[in-house]
Amino acid sequence: MRLEFLWIGKTKDASLARLEKRYLDRIRRFYPASASAVSEQSRKDVHQKDAAERREAELVLKKLPAQARLVVLDERGAQVTSRGLAGWFKKWTLSALPQVVFVVGGHAGVPQEVLRRADKVLSLGRMTLPHELARVVLLEQIYRAATIVRGLPYHNE
C-alpha cells in the first residue's frame, strides 16, 4: 500500500518542515510514501473566495489516482485513537488497497468538493491546530499506527 500526503499550501515554517521530513522518512520504513503540495489560492478578496475554493478543489482532485482511498482531515471528522488508526491500516493492508491519499487543507481548510469525495474524514481532535502543525501530528500518528500494526515498542515507550 502506497501513502500519499497532499498539502494545500507549502509548509513555510522550517522547523515543522524538518519534522514532516523526519516522520515521512520513518513512515517509509513501512510503506512507500511521498508528500506534495498544491498551491493555496488567495482569498483576500471576498469575491474571489468561491473561485479560490473551486480552484483548490480542482488541483487536489486532479492529483488523486482513481484507485486511491481519500482521507481528508477536518474538524468535523471521526476522532480515533492511535490503535483505532492502526486498525484502519490493518484493514487497508488486508484488503490489498493500492493507495491512500491524506489531504490537509491550508488556512481556509479543505474545499467542500474534496470533503464530499472523501472516503473517510478524520479529525485530530476538537481543538483547532495550525494546518502546518496538523500535518506533523498526522504524520507522527501514521508512523505510530505502523509501529502498532507491526508490534513494535514505539507506542508503548
Side-chain angles (χ1 to χ4, degrees):
M1 178 173 63
R2 176 166 183 69
L3 304 180
E4 173 70 27
F5 300 93
L6 186 55
W7 315 140
I8 297 177
K10 292 183 178 179
T11 303
K12 294 175 183 151
D13 184 311
S15 60
L16 292 176
R18 283 191 300 277
L19 283 171
E20 282 179 22
K21 182 182 178 334
R22 178 184 301 163
Y23 283 108
L24 191 58
D25 287 345
R26 288 180 179 188
I27 290 167
R28 286 182 181 133
R29 296 177 195 164
F30 306 107
Y31 302 102
S34 60
S36 61
V38 298
S39 177
E40 185 169 22
Q41 304 299 299
S42 173
R43 289 174 171 75
K44 290 181 181 174
D45 183 343
V46 166
H47 304 292
Q48 294 175 334
K49 184 181 181 289
D50 290 341
E53 184 171 323
R54 279 193 306 276
R55 178 67 180 139
E56 279 182 5
E58 178 183 297
L59 291 169
V60 169
L61 295 174
K62 189 172 161 178
K63 290 193 126 201
L64 294 180
Q67 300 286 331
R69 173 79 38 99
L70 176 60
V71 180
V72 176
L73 263 66
D74 184 82
E75 62 188 6
R76 296 163 294 213
Q79 293 182 36
V80 296
T81 64
S82 297
R83 290 195 183 282
L85 184 60
W88 291 7
F89 274 79
K90 217 179 248 187
K91 181 179 173 184
W92 293 337
T93 301
L94 291 173
S95 67
L97 187 65
Q99 186 169 11
V100 180
V101 178
F102 291 87
V103 174
V104 178
H107 290 94
V110 175
Q112 289 301 309
E113 188 176 345
V114 176
L115 277 166
R116 283 191 293 275
R117 162 62 177 81
D119 296 295
K120 287 193 177 286
V121 181
L122 175 66
S123 172
L124 296 176
R126 294 179 62 187
M127 291 187 276
T128 301
L129 296 174
H131 61 281
E132 292 183 355
L133 182 57
R135 297 168 183 177
V136 173
V137 173
L138 172 66
L139 290 167
E140 189 280 335
Q141 284 298 301
I142 289 173
Y143 171 68
R144 182 178 296 274
T147 63
I148 291 169
V149 167
R150 284 161 182 81
L152 298 175
Y154 177 79
H155 181 66
N156 296 317
E157 290 178 351

